[in-house]
């Protein structure tokens, strides 16, 4: 705006950045000038502010999906055995596979994996 010191300073900053081919500084000056003009001179579109509210969540196991268990034999001197139990829905089934595999091979070392699905649930009712 004519006569506004802040507008003039920001315009000079923008022009100097443009002369240095500093596009980033030029953009920064443009943004600052636009914010200043909206705030102080009501120039440009006035957009309503949005309010974002923090909503606390808890992570819970998804009761609609079964967890998955599996094991892989990692015994071996030079290379791992690599035998796998396959995905099971019960940890006891994986343990039984390990017991049988150890009886047959004398391999005592396994890498066990557990997988499940989780959902984020709000701790309180979220207004729409």
């Amino acid at each position: 705006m004519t006569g506004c010191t802040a507008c003039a300073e920001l315009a000079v900053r923008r022009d100097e950045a443009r002369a240095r081919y500093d596009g980033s500084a030029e953009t920064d000056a443009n943004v600052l000038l636009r914010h200043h003009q909206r705030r102080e001179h009501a120039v440009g579109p006035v957009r309503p502010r949005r309010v974002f509210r923090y909503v606390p969540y808890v992570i819970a196991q998804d009761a609609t999906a079964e967890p998955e268990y599996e094991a892989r034999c990692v015994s071996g001197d030079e290379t791992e055995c690599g035998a796998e139990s396959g995905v099971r829905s019960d940890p006891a089934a994986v343990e039984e596979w390990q017991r049988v595999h150890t009886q047959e091979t004398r391999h005592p070392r396994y890498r066990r994996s557990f997988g499940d699905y989780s959902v984020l649930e709000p701790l309180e009712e979220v207004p729409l």
Side-chain angles (χ1 to χ4, degrees):
M1 299 301 283
T2 306
C4 177
T5 307
C7 286
E9 289 173 0
L10 289 168
V12 167
R13 183 190 295 187
R14 179 190 56 206
D15 294 341
E16 289 173 349
R18 190 176 292 149
R20 292 190 314 268
Y21 300 101
D22 186 349
S24 178
E26 181 182 353
T27 299
D28 291 346
N30 279 331
V31 169
L32 291 171
L33 181 59
R34 197 165 42 249
H35 283 268
H36 167 76
Q37 289 175 338
R38 283 188 192 134
R39 188 175 51 250
E40 301 298 325
H41 307 296
V43 173
V46 177
R47 287 181 257 168
R49 293 193 176 254
R50 289 188 246 158
V51 176
F52 293 96
R53 191 171 76 77
Y54 171 75
V55 177
Y57 284 87
V58 62
I59 299 174
Q61 188 175 30
D62 185 353
T64 64
E66 288 189 1
E68 300 173 339
Y69 305 88
E70 62 184 316
R72 179 171 48 91
C73 180
V74 293
S75 298
D77 294 330
E78 298 295 319
T79 60
E80 296 179 356
C81 168
E84 296 180 346
S85 66
V87 176
R88 312 283 174 95
S89 60
D90 180 20
V94 174
E95 291 170 5
E96 177 61 18
W97 175 84
Q98 287 178 266
R99 187 186 65 72
V100 170
H101 184 72
T102 298
Q103 280 181 335
E104 294 172 353
T105 63
R106 301 286 185 233
H107 293 165
R109 193 158 188 261
Y110 298 87
R111 183 179 194 294
R112 297 187 304 180
S113 299
F114 167 77
D116 70 344
Y117 293 87
S118 63
V119 292
L120 273 76
E121 299 171 343
L123 288 175
E124 59 188 55
E125 192 65 33
V126 179
L128 296 176

